[in-house]
Amino acid sequence: MVNETQHTCSASSSSKSDGGSSSGSESSKDSSRCSTPVLDADRHERLREKMRRRQDSGDKWFSLEFFPPRTANAAVNLISRFDRMGAGGPLFIDVTWHPAGDPGSDKETSSMIIANTAVNYCGLETILHMTCCNQTKDDITGHLQKAKRLGLKNIMALRGDPAGEEWEEEVAGFNYAVDLVKHIRNEFDDYFDICVAGYPKGHPEAESYEADLRHLKEKVFAGADFIITQLFFRSETFLKFMKDCQAIGITCPIIPGIFPIQGYHSLRQLVKLSKLEVPQEIKDVIEPIKDNDAAIRNYGVELAVSMCRELLDSGMVHGLHFYTLNREVATTEVLKRLGIWKEDPRRPLPWAVSAHPKRRVEDVRPIFWASRPKSYIYRTQEWDDFPNGRWGNSSSPAFGELKDYYLFYLKSKSPREELLKMWGEELTGEESVFEVFTCYITGEPNKNGHKVTCMPWNDDPLATETNLLKEQLEKVNRRGILTINSQPNINGKPSTDPIVGWGPSGGYVFQKAYLEFFTSSEIVTALLKVLKKYELRVNYHIVNVKGQNITNAPDLQPNAVTWGIFPGREIIQPTVVDPVSFLSWKDEAFALWIEQWAKLYEEESPSRMIIQYIHDNYYLVNLVDNDFPLENCLWQVVDDTFELLN
Amino acid sequence: MVNETQHTCSASSSSKSDGGSSSGSESSKDSSRCSTPVLDADRHERLREKMRRRQDSGDKWFSLEFFPPRTANAAVNLISRFDRMGAGGPLFIDVTWHPAGDPGSDKETSSMIIANTAVNYCGLETILHMTCCNQTKDDITGHLQKAKRLGLKNIMALRGDPAGEEWEEEVAGFNYAVDLVKHIRNEFDDYFDICVAGYPKGHPEAESYEADLRHLKEKVFAGADFIITQLFFRSETFLKFMKDCQAIGITCPIIPGIFPIQGYHSLRQLVKLSKLEVPQEIKDVIEPIKDNDAAIRNYGVELAVSMCRELLDSGMVHGLHFYTLNREVATTEVLKRLGIWKEDPRRPLPWAVSAHPKRRVEDVRPIFWASRPKSYIYRTQEWDDFPNGRWGNSSSPAFGELKDYYLFYLKSKSPREELLKMWGEELTGEESVFEVFTCYITGEPNKNGHKVTCMPWNDDPLATETNLLKEQLEKVNRRGILTINSQPNINGKPSTDPIVGWGPSGGYVFQKAYLEFFTSSEIVTALLKVLKKYELRVNYHIVNVKGQNITNAPDLQPNAVTWGIFPGREIIQPTVVDPVSFLSWKDEAFALWIEQWAKLYEEESPSRMIIQYIHDNYYLVNLVDNDFPLENCLWQVVDDTFELLN
């Protein structure tokens, strides 16, 4: 009556299939159990496994293709687009490889660095394209090693366009994508998932459609894991191609490449490059409206939706790959109409996770970088181990210096003029700074009629959660308690709560109230007197730019301020207030006054001197109310402080 | 106005002062922070630091001296005494060294093994005596290495009694305690805390009182950390001695040895051995009542209390050392009357911690051994690392086999006749087993009029906490759900709660409801049907003696079932339900049916066959209700199961 049941551990088995060439921390101990709680299976699977799991479960999915931008500003915008389009739940994104644009370099616009940013800073599963013709083996190996080092796990292996009209095979070099596939498997074993291109109409240079199918089969048999196709205009084209592939023994996933027509010129250019023929019925619709961008886009969306429906309805297609041309609107609309754009408000952890394989166990971070997760990832990119389970078990790893202010993911997204409008063309005193903070909290325009939508410490508008505290925050900012981070206390809300929930369902989440602000030494003096009354209940850390540090924290132990209890799991405590990291954060938090704000103004100008004065004289304070089941006492602490000052 | 404050980390600094010879896991990473939360500073300090801290804070303390027992049964009793007297909060205990009794051997009655048991199994800070005369350097080094390996950290260095009347110095050997002190410091650097003996009246063999003081100074200057004195009968004797010590430059702590007179014969014997003179005024009281043990003991308590008061009132004495003669009553009474017996109901963790230095970071254990902590310690004694923070981070270390049933700390404290009275001279069927379980829960006598105060899985009467569940437990045991472990759900009670609290004050403790029992396969079949309704909410593990295993646990992850949230600390989760360890526990839990119960009866006897049948056919089940904020649903699960069966 009772049968033996074997329960295997998906995370552990997936990490084993990573192959022998995995780096340091990934190679899990040879253990019969998962070494870390699997909060989110996706985080532990490789791309081909994710595809297989979606196929098994019948969940339709999509992916998004982008090309590297030309300028640093365009890169900043593209990264914002990654964040926004990432919210719709793509299974992966891919970044194309432009041999002319120094694609493997460290430039902020290179394919390599854009893919790196997508994986590490935006937490997106990412495929990096790579072309091989006209390159030496050493070049290719160098690129692949770098990709691996940066945490990239997937390569789209392409031939690329030969330079010059009359192309001839090089005997020792890479002539076809299949050579690159073989090279990757030879040199990197099973480390990378490999994607190759399929041509539903046959490659334009192939002898024949059949010959091209055979080339594709060679690529798959050389080690490719799945296929993404060139764009096409009719669903029949793809479905026939797919059947032909299956007929000759290609069994891996084949993902149709979808190109929503977004404008007359982009269509013409693409068709020229890909040497495809636009069907007459499409030409007939487009030609008459060729100057009406909106009309063409609407038609393109319509066309794409109906073609995608046919593909999905065929039962042969599980995922759709979109050529976005780095644009958002058309693709997003197609996806929403298909019902596969899934904005899941549920978060695996309260902060945005990175997709770097080294970070797959990471589940604790200091709260200080809550509004600057990319900066946190940047400053910890050299770590070999990431805190897991308990922050205090890690040997206080060093944070990277913040010398690279130019780095685009640390830069404000807004241009200087915009910032001056928000933060004041001319400051008249500390009070005008208080006003900026207050306007950011309230969402009201400042006295020049501009809304303050970002701050040096918060690149985005206020988090929904912070809205819970809005009224109190406004009051204290007006009086010079300049808040930069806060969270309310939570005593066991369901993990599915739309505002404060995170982690798998069936759990409960908790928080200790937290408040972090800059303030004057006068207020700090009063605050310290008030805090005596709250000993034990309130932990504080108070530090100025010179590092003078006042705290009542026991030893140097971190204080867990967010945690969750889940069915059948150990406790997850994803954010802590850590006294040691606070001193690294302090450097960053104070530097932002100067780098982002003071430097908007002329040297020696009164505005600049006001910010400099605050930087030199204010304290950075954090407060934790340990009594999370009671009403948050931090507002009382602040009120008492103001009362003492009066 | 604001000054720089330095906060140092006591745990880290104390672990550094351990010296270079520390073993593996103790040597903390060179970090500016404590590597683990300090729940209990005592656990991380060495004895001399504890003494210093008590002296600084003005907390008076006591310590207890025992000698090794002669028989294994006496050893079992002594260990129970350690547990009971340990509850009063001694700063340490010490175990004397009897050269004639093979003191360094692995016998369960040897000084070495008794001290090992006190440290590892009873969690007591322990000093092991060691004498040096008539021993080779190699012998001594061997003993010290073994002591270190077993986790002993303190040695009382003594000369010991030379064999034979006319003792002569050996040129190359150890002639005096000072030689042993030097040897320990030479060979083990600062690893051990060293105690030496002081003689308030001078050593009987010393040339003079002054010469003896000089010898004592030599011992201290050779590296001793503190002094315990020989017994004395008048407080003035000790106070004069202490002043004389200070006068010649002895500044380390000097602890008076207190001997409560407990009987005429023991006094005479001790006086003879120590060559001390009993003052006339004491003789005058004792001689007339020498046959009245109770009267002598009362007088002895009276005398000790008044002498101890004088010592404590002098302001020179911070701790008192008691020569217990392995007896409980007199010493306990003196301590209680002095007000320094402190039964602190507060526990650093929900389970009894071990004092082995390797285990100082341990803060997670599987719940299964909750009633058999000594067995857990025994089975994990070979581990190099102990789970800390998260059970799942440890690489599922192997549990020691349970082959050594003879080992005294795994044996029942009750003799066979006693067990037969409790568990039944003759069993008539499974129902008579149900009755034993039920009587254990209710505390009512069984049908032969005997109370059931222990079970093979619980050596002690029911925990106070379990009383919360008594009514339900009784009901289900009557019907064949034979419970061996359970805890109620707790949703945030103060850490100071007298029943379920643990850890430092100001915190909150939580539990998921847990129930573990043996039951028939018929009940398991019904239970599994019922559990379908409770998917996600209830995690279960069901296993029989052959290892057939049914579970709905995700992967092989542990489920935290007890945790605490404390001010300024990371989260502590001291008990987990771990699917991997459960299979090791299963072997032990099933074996106890046979080893402790079936073997009480003749082979082939019906009683034995009944137990054997249960062992072979029942399942061991554990259930966790993950919804700790709601009312415990496990009783409903069981009720539903019985209903389904009817």
Side-chain angles (χ1 to χ4, degrees), chain B residues 346-363:
Chain B
R346 301 228 345 256
R347 310 168 287 176
L349 285 168
W351 32 262
V353 302
S354 169
H356 194 293
K358 264 206 318 193
R359 297 185 91 121
R360 63 157 62 119
V361 299
E362 179 182 28
D363 67 7

Side-chain angles (χ1 to χ4, degrees), chain B residues 301-462:
Chain B
V301 165
E302 216 48 68
L303 201 66
V305 167
S306 79
M307 191 173 75
C308 290
R309 286 223 174 97
E310 287 164 20
L311 291 170
L312 295 174
D313 290 348
S314 74
M316 297 173 72
V317 172
H318 305 280
L320 301 166
H321 183 73
F322 284 83
Y323 294 105
T324 67
L325 304 184
N326 286 15
R327 294 191 205 156
E328 231 169 306
V329 180
T331 300
T332 306
E333 194 175 335
V334 172
L335 288 167
K336 284 181 175 169
R337 291 200 24 206
L338 291 170
I340 56 177
W341 174 271
K342 281 173 191 156
E343 279 195 44
D344 188 354
R346 301 228 345 256
R347 310 168 287 176
L349 285 168
W351 32 262
V353 302
S354 169
H356 194 293
K358 264 206 318 193
R359 297 185 91 121
R360 63 157 62 119
V361 299
E362 179 182 28
D363 67 7
V364 198
R365 288 185 186 175
I367 195 172
F368 316 121
W369 284 269
S371 302
R372 296 176 61 76
K374 292 190 175 69
S375 169
Y376 180 76
I377 291 166
Y378 171 67
R379 296 192 63 182
T380 60
Q381 62 188 346
E382 301 298 332
W383 291 7
D384 287 328
D385 287 307
F386 287 91
N388 163 238
R390 201 181 257 174
W391 181 267
N393 276 2
S394 65
S395 51
S396 57
F399 286 86
E401 291 283 330
L402 260 189
K403 49 192 174 212
D404 301 316
Y405 273 100
Y406 63 87
L407 262 167
F408 57 98
Y409 29 79
L410 302 180
K411 269 194 359 189
S412 177
K413 279 180 282 190
S414 312
R416 179 170 178 270
E417 312 77 59
E418 198 64 39
L419 296 176
L420 279 171
K421 279 181 195 157
M422 290 196 275
W423 302 344
E425 306 273 355
E426 225 181 296
L427 303 175
T428 52
E430 291 166 65
E431 281 70 22
S432 42
V433 172
F434 301 176
E435 201 213 329
V436 175
F437 276 85
T438 309
C439 289
Y440 175 70
I441 295 292
T442 60
E444 301 291 315
N446 62 20
K447 63 185 172 202
N448 296 318
H450 294 282
K451 289 203 177 185
V452 181
T453 54
C454 69
M455 292 293 282
W457 307 270
N458 302 64
D459 217 19
D460 294 307
L462 272 198

Side-chain angles (χ1 to χ4, degrees), chain A residues 23 30 81 113 215 383 393 451 467 496 511 595 599:
Chain A
S23 67
D30 185 22
R81 185 160 297 129
I113 294 303
H215 288 314
W383 291 6
N393 276 1
K451 288 203 177 183
N467 270 316
T496 49
Q511 291 179 180
E595 296 297 326
K599 289 190 176 170

